[in-house]
Amino acid sequence: MALKLRLKPCERVVINGCVVQNENRRYTLTVSNFAQIIRGSDIMQEDEADTPVRRAYFLIQSMLLDPQAAEQYGSVVAGMMAKLYTAFMHPEMQDRIMQAMRNVSDRDYYKALACLRPVMAYEDGLLNAQRSPRDERTPETCVEA
């Protein structure tokens, strides 16, 4: 089944490592066979990979963008995902991590990334809930007298 990508004006998409950018109007692009595809808005920058789930996402994204990285990071990602599975006690998050692991083993990296997006949101919620009001003080209020 063909994949139809509806591109917004000036939107970028990476297809098998090639960056394609739309012009100034909406456009639909049809991909007729399997390809590694990621929209520009889904691409994470390396400095954003600052939590365990985000680091896993970034490595899987690297595998999608670069076939050599896929060979290099496969076992690293498997280990990271196993640790994430045991760290998250929420059954839905465990299911998403397990599905991401299956997608990585099938080399369907985009689907693996899609499975991890809700896990990232859940992780963000946990990290924000653990911050105390003291952690959120601005530098000006932390200055000792």
Side-chain angles (χ1 to χ4, degrees):
M1 185 167 147
L3 172 66
K4 290 189 183 265
L5 295 171
R6 287 176 178 75
L7 301 176
K8 298 174 187 169
C10 302
E11 184 176 15
R12 290 182 182 162
V13 63
V14 179
I15 303 173
N16 286 342
C18 178
V19 178
V20 177
Q21 183 170 348
N22 192 21
E23 293 293 323
N24 293 329
R25 58 183 164 195
R26 289 189 170 274
Y27 190 77
T28 300
L29 180 68
T30 302
V31 180
S32 298
N33 59 342
F34 181 81
Q36 295 293 351
I37 298 172
I38 186 169
R39 289 182 180 274
S41 60
D42 293 330
I43 295 176
M44 178 183 290
Q45 299 302 313
E46 187 172 8
D47 62 330
E48 296 172 302
D50 55 359
T51 67
V53 177
R54 289 177 182 280
R55 282 191 287 279
Y57 183 100
F58 183 78
L59 285 180
I60 295 168
Q61 171 189 286
S62 298
M63 294 168 73
L64 182 149
L65 294 172
D66 180 6
Q68 291 177 347
E71 294 174 24
Q72 180 181 356
Y73 297 135
S75 60
V76 174
V77 168
M80 291 175 83
M81 299 296 276
K83 288 179 184 177
L84 290 173
Y85 184 86
T86 58
F88 287 97
M89 302 306 289
H90 193 285
E92 182 183 348
M93 295 304 115
Q94 287 181 325
D95 288 346
R96 290 183 180 279
I97 293 166
M98 184 62 74
Q99 186 59 49
M101 290 168 62
R102 280 193 285 268
N103 288 324
V104 168
S105 68
D106 291 342
R107 296 179 184 253
D108 196 344
Y109 304 121
Y110 185 80
K111 283 185 183 175
L113 296 176
C115 289
L116 287 181
R117 285 188 200 103
V119 181
M120 277 194 294
Y122 181 76
E123 179 187 49
D124 289 344
L126 290 175
L127 292 173
N128 289 333
Q130 289 180 346
R131 289 190 179 133
S132 69
R134 181 179 181 158
D135 293 336
E136 294 179 8
R137 293 187 296 181
T138 59
E140 294 83 26
T141 60
C142 293
V143 177
E144 294 182 23

